[in-house]
């Protein structure tokens, strides 16, 4: 597959934009090669600048559960745009979308809109510290919650798991306030709670991990997370990726979670910039202008993003069978991938929950970030390019999740499996 125009565009882009991209993963560093510049999307498919068509499993990293350019979503955006798309003032659509979020997440009494998942988690953590008056937060290796300073932290050495910066520019003094544990290690979590529970403001976690590739939580780990309440710690379920995807009520509904705060994004904006954090009134009332925890945003709740998000959530709410379809097609894709890789004698693990999945190349199961890191990412690189050159656009990193939309059907599964068989 030739991509001369994308190659030229990438060279040009790198003259003006760091790495030629607006977000690092798009530069294909993990898989090599030139990223196609995508110029059109329709349903499950995208087209690049050279006119090549791809079956899209990235779907803008999760938002497009209804596929690209869903006619009803486009119509609602156009309708609102023609009336003026931002006022910096309260707008009826913010109220409508907040009510839709509360239908999906009944435990949320108050919801605040922001413009990215990063803002949602950053604000939720500031709120947790403001509400509890405590300094420490806990996160898990391989969980990504956006790029706020306190979250660009990795496990330090030493028993106390004090964090150390995982990015330049994050002060060590700040990173040390983030304690980092292994995902799916309930013993370590219980030990930390026993030892330092009273100093911890919040635990933030991905209820199903997408950012280490897919990692599935064990019952025991979920139980240990919910013991946080005994220590007065706020449990924050980061559903930016899983929200409205794993069920209309996300992982909270599917796994029966009881978080104190939930962060949302991606599908919430239907592909436009909108995200949110929410929880029970007693906590959320600490947020300005009601309380002392400051948080603000010029384009927070802007009518255009509210319209796209509301259209998306209303369509999902009106079509509950969509989730059964996503489950069914996801299962067929998983079974087909496993069958082909087994037939070829290639060791693999497919981690899937509903319509998000990852293929790892390894003998054993992949339940933790450490196990994910030990998989064969060189073979993944060849898997990725083998598919891409046959018009199947898998996420360009083994530590990401592939997503299905409601428009990924039997034909798309067949095309994917055929492409994989040829690539192998
Ligand atoms: P944004 O700031 O990128 O909107 O959201 C941050 C975020 C928060 N929480 C979770 C669970 C997330 O998955 C994300 C963002 N996900 C990545 C994909 N793994 C976005 C893609 C990118 O960084 O370009």
């Amino acid at each position: 597959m030739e991509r001369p125009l994308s190659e030229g565009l990438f060279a040009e882009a790198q003259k003006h934009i760091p790495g030629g991209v607006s977000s690092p993963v798009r530069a294909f560093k993990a898989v090599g090669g030139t990223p196609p510049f995508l110029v059109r999307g329709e349903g499950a498919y995208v087209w690049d600048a050279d006119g090549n068509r791809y079956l899209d499993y990235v779907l803008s990293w999760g938002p497009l559960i209804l596929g690209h350019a869903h006619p009803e979503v486009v119509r609602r955006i156009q309708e609102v745009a023609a009336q003026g798309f931002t006022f910096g003032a309260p707008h009826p659509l913010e109220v409508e979308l907040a009510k839709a979020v509360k239908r999906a997440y009944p435990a949320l009494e108050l919801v605040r809109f922001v413009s990215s998942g990063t803002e949602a988690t950053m604000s939720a953590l500031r709120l947790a510290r403001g509400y509890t008056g405590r300094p420490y937060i806990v996160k898990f290796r391989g969980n990504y919650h956006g790029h706020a300073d306190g979250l660009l932290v990795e496990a330090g050495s030493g028993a106390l798991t004090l964090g150390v910066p995982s990015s330049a520019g994050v002060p060590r003094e700040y990173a040390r306030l983030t304690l980092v544990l292994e995902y799916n290690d309930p013993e370590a979590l219980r030990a930390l709670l026993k030892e330092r529970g009273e100093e911890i403001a919040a635990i933030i976690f991905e209820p199903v991990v997408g950012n280490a590739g897919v990692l599935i939580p064990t019952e025991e780990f979920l139980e240990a997370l919910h013991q946080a309440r005994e220590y007065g710690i706020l449990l924050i379920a980061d559903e930016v990726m899983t929200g409205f995807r794993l069920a209309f009520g996300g992982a909270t509904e599917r796994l029966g979670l009881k978080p104190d705060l939930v962060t949302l994004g991606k599908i919430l904006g239907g592909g436009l910039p909108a995200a949110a954090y929410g929880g029970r009134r007693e906590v959320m009332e600490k947020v300005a202008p009601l309380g002392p925890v400051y948080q603000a945003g010029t384009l927070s709740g802007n009518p255009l993003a509210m319209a796209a998000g509301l259209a998306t959530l209303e369509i999902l709410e009106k079509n509950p069978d969509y989730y059964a379809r996503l489950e069914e097609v996801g299962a067929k894709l998983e079974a087909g991938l496993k069958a082909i890789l087994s037939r070829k004698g290639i060791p693999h693990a497919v981690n899937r929950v509903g319509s998000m999945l990852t293929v790892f190349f390894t003998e054993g199961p992949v339940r933790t970030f450490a196990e994910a890191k030990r998989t064969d990412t060189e073979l993944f690189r060849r898997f990725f390019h083998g598919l891409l050159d046959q018009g199947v656009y898998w996420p360009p990193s083994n530590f990401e999740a592939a997503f299905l939309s409601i428009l990924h059907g039997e034909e798309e599964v067949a095309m994917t499996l055929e492409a994989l068989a040829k690539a192998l």
Side-chain angles (χ1 to χ4, degrees):
M1 191 177 274
E2 300 304 313
R3 301 186 194 99
L5 288 181
S6 282
E7 267 141 38
L9 281 163
F10 196 42
E12 172 76 7
Q14 292 177 71
K15 290 184 201 147
H16 312 293
I17 302 169
V21 293
S22 298
S23 197
V25 70
R26 306 179 193 175
F28 273 28
K29 285 265 176 292
V31 291
T34 298
F37 276 56
L38 301 184
V39 297
R40 184 164 80 82
E42 194 180 315
Y45 295 88
V46 288
W47 284 260
D48 68 15
D50 294 283
N52 300 306
R53 186 192 78 156
Y54 304 90
L55 171 56
D56 185 10
Y57 282 102
V58 176
L59 294 169
S60 183
W61 303 98
L64 301 175
I65 194 167
L66 298 181
H68 289 272
H70 186 289
E72 172 59 12
V73 179
V74 172
R75 191 185 67 73
R76 298 275 283 274
I77 292 171
Q78 288 171 327
E79 199 178 61
V80 168
Q83 308 296 319
F85 21 97
T86 182
F87 303 99
H91 190 281
L93 284 175
E94 293 170 278
V95 181
E96 289 313 305
L97 188 55
K99 292 195 298 191
V101 168
K102 289 172 71 169
R103 291 196 297 272
Y105 289 84
L108 305 189
E109 291 177 306
L110 294 178
V111 170
R112 168 59 64 83
F113 292 114
V114 293
S115 296
S116 71
T118 292
E119 273 188 274
T121 59
M122 173 178 73
S123 308
L125 289 165
R126 181 181 310 131
L127 170 57
R129 285 185 162 125
Y131 176 77
T132 62
R134 299 174 177 183
Y136 290 100
I137 61 168
V138 177
K139 75 175 289 291
F140 298 94
R141 285 184 68 209
N143 283 212
Y144 176 71
H145 305 289
H147 62 90
D149 278 0
L151 291 164
L152 295 180
V153 172
E154 60 197 11
S157 56
L160 292 189
T161 64
L162 292 184
V164 295
S166 62
S167 163
V170 174
R172 297 183 65 81
E173 297 80 359
Y174 192 49
R176 64 187 305 282
L177 294 172
T178 302
L179 309 176
V180 184
L181 295 176
E182 273 294 337
Y183 192 82
N184 273 339
D185 181 349
E187 287 76 30
L189 176 55
R190 278 195 281 270
L192 180 66
L193 293 183
K194 223 195 282 344
E195 184 187 339
R196 310 190 66 161
E198 315 299 332
E199 301 170 81
I200 295 169
I203 298 173
I204 187 167
F205 71 111
E206 287 188 57
V208 170
V209 180
N211 291 291
V214 173
L215 298 178
I216 300 169
T218 63
E219 274 309 312
E220 208 196 347
F221 182 60
L222 291 175
E223 248 169 67
L225 283 166
H226 285 76
Q227 281 165 2
R229 168 150 315 127
E230 295 161 26
Y231 298 83
I233 299 169
L234 293 186
L235 185 59
I236 304 176
D238 179 358
E239 290 230 51
V240 165
M241 186 185 282
T242 53
F244 314 104
R245 174 165 287 281
L246 298 186
F248 186 56
T252 299
E253 175 188 324
R254 190 181 181 120
L255 304 178
L257 307 179
K258 296 191 177 346
D260 297 292
L261 293 172
V262 176
T263 52
L264 297 163
K266 294 182 192 271
I267 294 172
L268 175 62
L272 266 66
Y277 63 103
R280 61 181 182 278
R281 188 174 293 279
E282 177 211 358
V283 179
M284 290 300 290
E285 279 182 338
K286 293 286 182 191
V287 175
L290 294 180
V293 179
Y294 192 70
Q295 179 266 307
T298 303
L299 294 176
S300 296
N302 74 82
L304 219 44
M306 296 293 103
L310 186 59
T312 301
L313 264 53
E314 286 175 350
I315 292 166
L316 288 170
E317 201 172 9
K318 280 196 202 100
N319 298 278
D321 57 304
Y322 281 174
Y323 291 103
R325 185 193 308 180
L326 288 164
E327 184 58 47
E328 190 192 320
V329 176
K332 282 200 171 65
L333 178 62
E334 174 184 349
L337 291 168
K338 285 176 170 175
I340 293 173
L341 291 167
S342 302
R343 218 172 27 248
K344 296 279 182 178
I346 296 176
H348 60 279
V350 179
N351 286 2
R352 178 183 71 83
V353 178
S355 58
M356 57 191 274
L357 70 155
T358 299
V359 177
F360 290 108
F361 294 103
T362 178
E363 291 290 351
V366 181
R367 293 151 309 192
T368 66
F369 184 57
E371 288 169 345
K373 289 296 262 184
R374 283 201 295 270
T375 61
D376 185 344
T377 52
E378 173 48 31
L379 185 46
F380 175 82
R381 196 184 61 72
R382 294 165 61 198
F383 164 89
F384 171 82
H385 282 290
L387 290 178
L388 188 71
D389 285 344
Q390 295 179 75
V392 176
Y393 192 85
W394 201 260
S397 160
N398 216 159
F399 305 113
E400 295 289 353
F403 299 104
L404 301 175
S405 78
I406 56 160
L407 293 167
H408 285 65
E410 308 277 344
E411 199 180 314
E412 285 67 35
V413 171
M415 175 189 174
T416 306
L417 299 180
E418 205 180 300
L420 177 59
K422 265 202 222 133
L424 294 177

